[in-house]
Amino acid sequence: QVQLVESGGGLVQPGGSLRLSCAASGSFFSINIMGWYRQAPGKPRELVATMTSGGYTVSADSVKGRFTISRDNAKNMVYLQMDSLKPEDTAVYYCYGVIKISYVSTRNYWGQGTQVTVSS
């Protein structure tokens, strides 16, 4: 059983910073992609940023220059450093992983989500 567990959400004022962490645990061969999505109330889930095991990164235009994704492949962890936060960044942030669970099987996994609220 593979699990992704997020931590680090909370309430922050506009212009502030937060760092999210996500740890993958369980039985698997490797993690191809790890990253973050978010979902605001009444809106669809959207990509924030992802990173391959080789370091290739994809991120949303809305967070470029403010959010930084990083990975620790040895620890099976992914991080999201969020700076210059805006009220429109308020959402539930979900950790996402594309994980190779056998020689022939790769599956998508999601964390339970962590709330980020940007408000004065």
Side-chain angles (χ1 to χ4, degrees), residues 85-108:
L85 282 160
K86 305 175 181 180
E88 51 263 44
D89 294 317
T90 296
V92 177
Y93 283 70
Y94 295 93
C95 182
Y96 168 74
V98 179
I99 298 176
K100 189 174 179 66
I101 59 172
S102 75
Y103 286 115
V104 297
S105 181
T106 298
R107 294 183 183 176
N108 298 339

Side-chain angles (χ1 to χ4, degrees), residues 17-18 23 37 39 47 50 56 61 75 81 99 101 109 112:
S17 298
L18 279 176
Y37 282 70
Q39 187 167 20
L47 168 75
T50 60
Y56 180 75
D61 288 343
K75 295 183 179 180
Q81 178 64 42
I99 298 176
I101 59 172
Y109 290 88
Q112 79 285 356

Side-chain angles (χ1 to χ4, degrees), residues 10-37:
L11 173 65
V12 63
Q13 292 186 341
S17 298
L18 279 176
R19 186 184 192 226
L20 304 183
S21 300
C22 173
S25 63
S27 179
F28 52 86
F29 280 76
S30 61
I31 303 175
N32 296 348
I33 298 171
M34 287 191 87
W36 299 90
Y37 282 70

Side-chain angles (χ1 to χ4, degrees), residues 30-84:
S30 61
I31 303 175
N32 296 348
I33 298 171
M34 287 191 87
W36 299 90
Y37 282 70
R38 67 186 180 186
Q39 187 167 20
K43 294 186 177 181
R45 191 172 296 188
E46 64 176 3
L47 168 75
V48 176
T50 60
M51 179 180 279
T52 69
S53 57
Y56 180 75
T57 299
V58 174
S59 60
D61 288 343
S62 60
V63 306
K64 286 180 179 176
R66 300 188 299 121
F67 292 9
T68 303
I69 188 171
S70 60
R71 282 180 63 169
D72 185 332
N73 292 330
K75 295 183 179 180
N76 297 317
M77 294 195 70
V78 64
Y79 307 94
L80 186 68
Q81 178 64 42
M82 303 185 293
D83 299 317
S84 302

